[in-house]
Coordinates of all heavy atoms in Angstrom, one line a residue:
M210 N 6.4 5.5 0.2 CA 6.2 6.3 1.4 C 4.8 7.1 1.3 O 4.0 7.1 2.2 CB 7.3 7.3 1.7 CG 7.0 8.3 2.8 SD 6.9 7.5 4.4 CE 8.7 7.2 4.8
D211 N 4.6 7.6 0.1 CA 3.4 8.3 -0.2 C 2.2 7.4 -0.2 O 1.1 7.7 0.4 CB 3.4 9.1 -1.5 CG 3.8 10.5 -1.4 OD1 4.2 10.9 -0.3 OD2 3.6 11.3 -2.4
M212 N 2.3 6.2 -0.7 CA 1.2 5.2 -0.7 C 0.9 4.8 0.8 O -0.3 4.7 1.2 CB 1.6 4.0 -1.5 CG 0.5 2.9 -1.6 SD -1.0 3.6 -2.3 CE -0.5 3.9 -4.0
A213 N 1.9 4.6 1.6 CA 1.7 4.2 3.0 C 1.0 5.4 3.7 O 0.2 5.1 4.6 CB 3.1 3.9 3.6
T214 N 1.4 6.6 3.4 CA 0.8 7.7 4.0 C -0.7 7.8 3.7 O -1.6 8.0 4.6 CB 1.4 9.1 3.6 OG1 2.8 9.0 3.9 CG2 0.9 10.3 4.3
K215 N -1.1 7.6 2.4 CA -2.5 7.7 2.0 C -3.3 6.6 2.5 O -4.4 6.8 3.0 CB -2.5 7.8 0.5 CG -2.1 9.2 -0.1 CD -2.3 9.3 -1.6 CE -1.2 8.5 -2.3 NZ -1.3 8.8 -3.8
V216 N -2.8 5.3 2.3 CA -3.7 4.2 2.6 C -3.5 3.7 4.1 O -4.2 2.8 4.5 CB -3.5 3.0 1.6 CG1 -3.8 3.5 0.2 CG2 -2.1 2.4 1.7
G217 N -2.4 4.2 4.7 CA -2.2 3.8 6.1 C -2.7 4.9 7.1 O -3.8 4.7 7.6
F218 N -2.0 6.0 7.2 CA -2.4 7.1 8.1 C -3.7 7.7 7.5 O -4.7 7.8 8.3 CB -1.4 8.2 8.1 CG -0.1 7.8 8.8 CD1 1.1 7.8 8.1 CD2 -0.1 7.3 10.1 CE1 2.3 7.4 8.6 CE2 1.1 6.9 10.7 CZ 2.3 7.0 9.9
G219 N -3.7 8.1 6.3 CA -4.8 8.8 5.7 C -6.1 8.1 5.8 O -7.2 8.7 6.0
F220 N -6.1 6.8 5.5 CA -7.3 6.0 5.4 C -8.1 6.1 6.7 O -9.3 6.2 6.8 CB -7.0 4.6 5.0 CG -8.2 3.8 4.7 CD1 -8.9 3.9 3.5 CD2 -8.7 2.9 5.6 CE1 -10.1 3.2 3.2 CE2 -9.9 2.1 5.4 CZ -10.5 2.3 4.2
K221 N -7.3 6.0 7.8 CA -8.0 6.0 9.1 C -8.1 7.4 9.7 O -9.2 7.7 10.3 CB -7.2 5.1 10.1 CG -7.2 3.6 9.8 CD -6.6 2.8 11.0 CE -5.2 3.1 11.2 NZ -4.6 2.3 12.2
T222 N -7.1 8.2 9.6 CA -7.1 9.5 10.2 C -8.1 10.5 9.6 O -8.4 11.5 10.2 CB -5.8 10.2 10.3 OG1 -5.2 10.3 8.9 CG2 -4.8 9.4 11.1
A223 N -8.7 10.2 8.4 CA -9.7 11.0 7.9 C -11.0 10.9 8.8 O -11.8 11.8 8.7 CB -10.1 10.5 6.5
W224 N -11.1 9.8 9.6 CA -12.3 9.6 10.4 C -11.9 9.4 11.9 O -12.9 9.3 12.7 CB -13.0 8.4 9.9 CG -13.3 8.5 8.4 CD1 -12.6 8.0 7.4 CD2 -14.4 9.2 7.8 NE1 -13.1 8.3 6.2 CE2 -14.2 9.1 6.4 CE3 -15.5 9.9 8.3 CZ2 -15.1 9.6 5.5 CZ3 -16.4 10.5 7.4 CH2 -16.2 10.3 6.0
Q225 N -10.7 9.2 12.2 CA -10.3 8.8 13.5 C -9.1 9.6 14.0 O -8.1 9.6 13.4 CB -9.9 7.3 13.5 CG -9.6 6.6 14.7 CD -9.3 5.1 14.5 OE1 -10.2 4.4 14.2 NE2 -8.0 4.7 14.6
G226 N -9.3 10.3 15.1 CA -8.3 11.2 15.6 C -7.1 10.4 16.3 O -7.2 9.2 16.5
M227 N -6.1 11.1 16.6 CA -4.9 10.5 17.2 C -5.1 9.8 18.5 O -4.7 8.7 18.7 CB -3.8 11.6 17.4 CG -2.5 11.1 18.0 SD -1.4 12.5 18.4 CE -1.3 13.4 16.9
F228 N -5.9 10.5 19.4 CA -6.2 9.9 20.7 C -7.2 8.8 20.6 O -7.2 7.8 21.4 CB -6.5 11.0 21.7 CG -5.3 11.8 22.1 CD1 -4.9 12.8 21.3 CD2 -4.7 11.5 23.2 CE1 -3.8 13.6 21.6 CE2 -3.5 12.2 23.6 CZ -3.1 13.3 22.8
E229 N -8.2 8.9 19.7 CA -9.1 7.8 19.4 C -8.3 6.6 18.9 O -8.6 5.4 19.3 CB -10.1 8.2 18.4 CG -11.1 9.2 18.8 CD -12.1 9.6 17.7 OE1 -11.6 9.8 16.6 OE2 -13.3 9.7 17.9
T230 N -7.3 6.8 18.1 CA -6.5 5.7 17.5 C -5.8 5.0 18.7 O -5.7 3.8 18.7 CB -5.5 6.2 16.5 OG1 -6.2 6.8 15.4 CG2 -4.6 5.1 16.0
M231 N -5.2 5.8 19.6 CA -4.5 5.1 20.7 C -5.4 4.3 21.6 O -5.1 3.2 22.0 CB -3.8 6.2 21.6 CG -2.6 6.8 20.9 SD -1.6 7.8 22.1 CE -2.6 9.3 22.2
D232 N -6.7 4.8 21.7 CA -7.6 4.0 22.5 C -8.0 2.7 21.8 O -8.1 1.6 22.4 CB -8.9 4.8 22.7 CG -8.9 5.7 23.9 OD1 -7.9 5.5 24.7 OD2 -9.8 6.5 24.1
F233 N -8.1 2.7 20.4 CA -8.4 1.5 19.7 C -7.2 0.5 19.7 O -7.4 -0.7 19.8 CB -8.7 1.9 18.2 CG -10.1 2.2 18.0 CD1 -10.5 3.6 17.8 CD2 -11.1 1.3 17.9 CE1 -11.8 4.0 17.6 CE2 -12.4 1.6 17.7 CZ -12.8 3.0 17.6
I234 N -6.0 1.1 19.7 CA -4.8 0.2 19.7 C -4.7 -0.4 21.1 O -4.3 -1.6 21.2 CB -3.5 1.1 19.4 CG1 -3.5 1.5 18.0 CG2 -2.2 0.3 19.8 CD1 -2.4 2.5 17.7
G235 N -5.0 0.3 22.1 CA -4.7 -0.1 23.5 C -3.6 0.7 24.1 O -2.5 0.6 23.5
L236 N -3.8 1.4 25.2 CA -2.7 2.2 25.7 C -1.5 1.5 26.2 O -0.4 2.0 26.2 CB -3.3 3.1 26.8 CG -4.4 4.1 26.4 CD1 -4.8 5.0 27.5 CD2 -4.0 4.9 25.1
D237 N -1.7 0.2 26.6 CA -0.6 -0.6 27.0 C 0.4 -0.9 25.8 O 1.6 -0.8 25.9 CB -1.0 -1.9 27.6 CG -2.0 -2.7 26.8 OD1 -2.7 -2.1 25.9 OD2 -2.1 -3.9 26.9
T238 N -0.3 -1.1 24.7 CA 0.5 -1.3 23.4 C 1.2 0.0 23.0 O 2.4 -0.1 22.6 CB -0.4 -1.8 22.3 OG1 -1.0 -3.0 22.7 CG2 0.4 -2.1 21.0
V239 N 0.5 1.1 23.1 CA 1.1 2.4 22.8 C 2.3 2.6 23.7 O 3.4 3.1 23.2 CB 0.1 3.5 22.9 CG1 0.7 4.9 22.8 CG2 -1.1 3.4 21.9
D240 N 2.2 2.4 25.0 CA 3.3 2.6 25.9 C 4.5 1.7 25.6 O 5.6 2.2 25.6 CB 2.8 2.2 27.3 CG 3.8 2.5 28.4 OD1 4.4 3.6 28.5 OD2 4.2 1.5 29.1
F241 N 4.2 0.5 25.2 CA 5.3 -0.4 24.8 C 6.0 0.1 23.5 O 7.2 0.1 23.4 CB 4.8 -1.8 24.6 CG 5.8 -2.8 24.1 CD1 6.8 -3.3 24.9 CD2 5.7 -3.2 22.7 CE1 7.8 -4.2 24.4 CE2 6.7 -4.1 22.2 CZ 7.7 -4.5 23.0
S242 N 5.2 0.5 22.5 CA 5.7 1.0 21.3 C 6.6 2.2 21.5 O 7.6 2.3 20.8 CB 4.6 1.2 20.3 OG 3.8 0.1 20.0
Q243 N 6.1 3.1 22.3 CA 6.9 4.3 22.6 C 8.3 3.9 23.2 O 9.3 4.5 22.8 CB 6.2 5.2 23.5 CG 5.0 6.0 22.9 CD 4.4 7.0 23.9 OE1 4.2 6.7 25.0 NE2 4.3 8.2 23.4
T244 N 8.3 3.0 24.2 CA 9.5 2.6 24.8 C 10.5 2.0 23.8 O 11.7 2.3 23.8 CB 9.2 1.5 25.9 OG1 8.3 2.1 26.8 CG2 10.5 1.1 26.6
L245 N 9.9 1.3 22.8 CA 10.7 0.6 21.8 C 11.3 1.5 20.8 O 12.4 1.5 20.4 CB 9.9 -0.5 21.2 CG 10.6 -1.5 20.3 CD1 11.6 -2.3 21.0 CD2 9.6 -2.4 19.5
L246 N 10.4 2.4 20.2 CA 10.7 3.2 19.0 C 11.2 4.6 19.3 O 12.0 5.1 18.5 CB 9.4 3.3 18.2 CG 8.9 2.1 17.5 CD1 7.6 2.3 16.8 CD2 10.0 1.6 16.5
L247 N 10.8 5.3 20.3 CA 11.2 6.7 20.5 C 12.8 6.8 20.5 O 13.3 7.8 19.9 CB 10.7 7.2 21.8 CG 9.2 7.7 21.8 CD1 8.7 8.1 23.1 CD2 9.0 8.8 20.7
P248 N 13.5 6.0 21.2 CA 15.0 6.1 21.1 C 15.6 6.0 19.7 O 16.7 6.5 19.5 CB 15.5 5.0 22.1 CG 14.4 4.7 22.9 CD 13.1 4.8 22.1
D249 N 14.8 5.3 18.8 CA 15.4 5.1 17.5 C 14.9 6.1 16.4 O 15.4 6.0 15.3 CB 14.9 3.6 17.1 CG 15.8 3.1 15.9 OD1 17.0 3.1 16.0 OD2 15.1 2.8 14.9
L250 N 13.9 7.0 16.8 CA 13.5 7.9 15.8 C 14.5 9.0 15.5 O 15.3 9.4 16.4 CB 12.2 8.6 16.3 CG 10.9 7.7 16.5 CD1 9.8 8.5 17.0 CD2 10.6 7.1 15.1
Y251 N 14.5 9.5 14.3 CA 15.4 10.6 13.9 C 15.1 11.9 14.6 O 13.9 12.3 14.7 CB 15.3 10.8 12.4 CG 16.3 11.8 11.9 CD1 17.7 11.6 12.0 CD2 15.8 12.9 11.2 CE1 18.6 12.5 11.5 CE2 16.7 13.8 10.7 CZ 18.1 13.6 10.8 OH 19.0 14.6 10.3
A252 N 16.1 12.5 15.2 CA 15.9 13.7 16.0 C 16.8 14.9 15.4 O 17.2 15.8 16.2 CB 16.3 13.5 17.4
G253 N 17.1 14.8 14.1 CA 17.9 15.9 13.5 C 17.3 17.2 13.6 O 16.1 17.4 13.5
L254 N 18.1 18.3 13.6 CA 17.7 19.7 13.8 C 17.9 20.5 12.5 O 17.6 21.7 12.5 CB 18.3 20.3 15.0 CG 18.1 19.7 16.3 CD1 18.8 20.5 17.4 CD2 16.6 19.7 16.7
E255 N 18.5 19.8 11.5 CA 18.7 20.5 10.2 C 17.7 20.1 9.2 O 17.2 19.0 9.1 CB 20.1 20.2 9.7 CG 21.3 20.6 10.6 CD 21.4 22.1 10.7 OE1 21.1 22.8 9.7 OE2 21.7 22.6 11.8
P256 N 17.3 21.1 8.3 CA 16.4 20.8 7.2 C 16.9 19.6 6.4 O 18.2 19.4 6.2 CB 16.3 22.1 6.4 CG 16.7 23.1 7.4 CD 17.7 22.5 8.3
S257 N 16.0 18.9 5.7 CA 16.4 17.7 4.9 C 17.3 18.1 3.7 O 16.9 19.0 3.0 CB 15.1 17.1 4.4 OG 15.4 16.2 3.3
P258 N 18.4 17.5 3.6 CA 19.3 17.7 2.4 C 18.6 17.4 1.1 O 18.8 18.0 0.0 CB 20.5 16.8 2.6 CG 20.3 16.0 3.8 CD 19.0 16.5 4.5
L259 N 17.6 16.4 1.1 CA 16.9 16.0 -0.1 C 16.0 17.2 -0.5 O 15.9 17.5 -1.7 CB 16.1 14.8 0.2 CG 15.2 14.2 -0.9 CD1 16.0 13.9 -2.2 CD2 14.4 13.0 -0.5
V260 N 15.3 17.8 0.4 CA 14.5 18.9 0.1 C 15.3 20.1 -0.4 O 15.0 20.8 -1.4 CB 13.6 19.4 1.3 CG1 12.8 20.6 1.0 CG2 12.6 18.3 1.7
K261 N 16.5 20.4 0.3 CA 17.3 21.5 -0.1 C 17.9 21.3 -1.5 O 18.0 22.3 -2.3 CB 18.5 21.6 0.9 CG 18.2 22.4 2.2 CD 19.4 22.8 2.9 CE 19.1 23.8 4.0 NZ 18.6 25.0 3.5
S262 N 18.2 20.1 -1.9 CA 18.7 19.9 -3.2 C 17.7 20.2 -4.3 O 18.0 20.7 -5.3 CB 19.2 18.4 -3.4 OG 18.2 17.5 -3.3
K263 N 16.4 19.8 -4.0 CA 15.3 20.1 -4.9 C 15.2 21.7 -5.1 O 14.9 22.2 -6.2 CB 14.0 19.5 -4.4 CG 14.0 18.0 -4.5 CD 13.9 17.5 -5.9 CE 13.8 16.0 -5.9 NZ 13.8 15.5 -7.3
V264 N 15.2 22.4 -3.9 CA 15.1 23.8 -4.0 C 16.2 24.4 -4.8 O 16.0 25.3 -5.6 CB 15.1 24.4 -2.5 CG1 15.1 25.9 -2.5 CG2 13.8 23.9 -1.8
E265 N 17.4 24.0 -4.6 CA 18.6 24.5 -5.3 C 18.5 24.2 -6.8 O 18.9 25.0 -7.7 CB 19.9 23.9 -4.8 CG 20.2 24.4 -3.4 CD 21.3 23.6 -2.8 OE1 21.8 22.6 -3.4 OE2 21.7 23.9 -1.6
E266 N 17.8 23.2 -7.2 CA 17.6 22.8 -8.6 C 16.4 23.6 -9.2 O 16.1 23.5 -10.4 CB 17.3 21.3 -8.8 CG 18.5 20.5 -8.5 CD 18.2 19.0 -8.4 OE1 17.1 18.6 -8.9 OE2 19.0 18.2 -7.9
G267 N 15.6 24.3 -8.4 CA 14.5 25.0 -8.8 C 13.2 24.2 -9.0 O 12.2 24.6 -9.6
K268 N 13.3 23.0 -8.4 CA 12.2 22.0 -8.5 C 11.3 22.1 -7.3 O 11.5 21.4 -6.3 CB 12.7 20.6 -8.7 CG 13.5 20.4 -10.0 CD 14.1 19.0 -10.1 CE 14.9 18.8 -11.4 NZ 15.5 17.5 -11.5
L269 N 10.4 23.1 -7.3 CA 9.7 23.5 -6.1 C 8.4 22.8 -5.9 O 7.6 23.1 -4.9 CB 9.5 25.0 -6.0 CG 10.8 25.8 -6.3 CD1 10.4 27.3 -6.2 CD2 11.9 25.5 -5.2
G270 N 8.0 21.9 -6.8 CA 6.7 21.2 -6.7 C 5.8 21.6 -7.8 O 6.2 22.0 -8.9
L271 N 4.5 21.6 -7.5 CA 3.5 21.8 -8.5 C 3.6 23.2 -9.2 O 3.4 23.3 -10.4 CB 2.1 21.7 -7.9 CG 0.9 21.4 -8.8 CD1 1.1 20.0 -9.4 CD2 -0.4 21.4 -8.0
K272 N 4.0 24.2 -8.4 CA 4.1 25.5 -9.0 C 5.2 25.7 -10.1 O 5.2 26.6 -10.9 CB 4.3 26.6 -7.9 CG 5.5 26.5 -7.0 CD 5.5 27.5 -5.9 CE 6.6 27.3 -4.9 NZ 6.5 28.3 -3.8
T273 N 6.2 24.8 -10.1 CA 7.2 24.8 -11.1 C 7.1 23.7 -12.1 O 8.0 23.5 -13.0 CB 8.6 24.9 -10.5 OG1 8.8 23.7 -9.7 CG2 8.8 26.1 -9.6
G274 N 6.1 22.8 -11.9 CA 5.9 21.7 -12.8 C 6.7 20.4 -12.4 O 6.6 19.4 -13.0

Side-chain angles (χ1 to χ4, degrees):
M210 176 64 79
D211 262 13
M212 183 59 69
T214 304
K215 288 185 283 190
V216 303
F218 296 119
F220 189 77
K221 290 190 296 183
T222 55
W224 306 95
Q225 183 176 293
M227 180 189 303
F228 285 82
E229 289 175 318
T230 297
M231 287 193 285
D232 276 349
F233 277 102
I234 292 171
L236 299 185
D237 53 336
T238 303
V239 172
D240 181 57
F241 173 75
S242 297
Q243 285 186 313
T244 302
L245 188 67
L246 289 175
L247 282 175
D249 197 55
L250 293 179
Y251 182 60
L254 299 179
E255 296 296 323
S257 161
L259 178 58
V260 174
K261 276 196 170 297
S262 68
K263 292 289 185 183
V264 173
E265 289 168 0
E266 293 170 15
K268 298 176 180 177
L269 307 182
L271 205 62
K272 60 186 175 182
T273 60

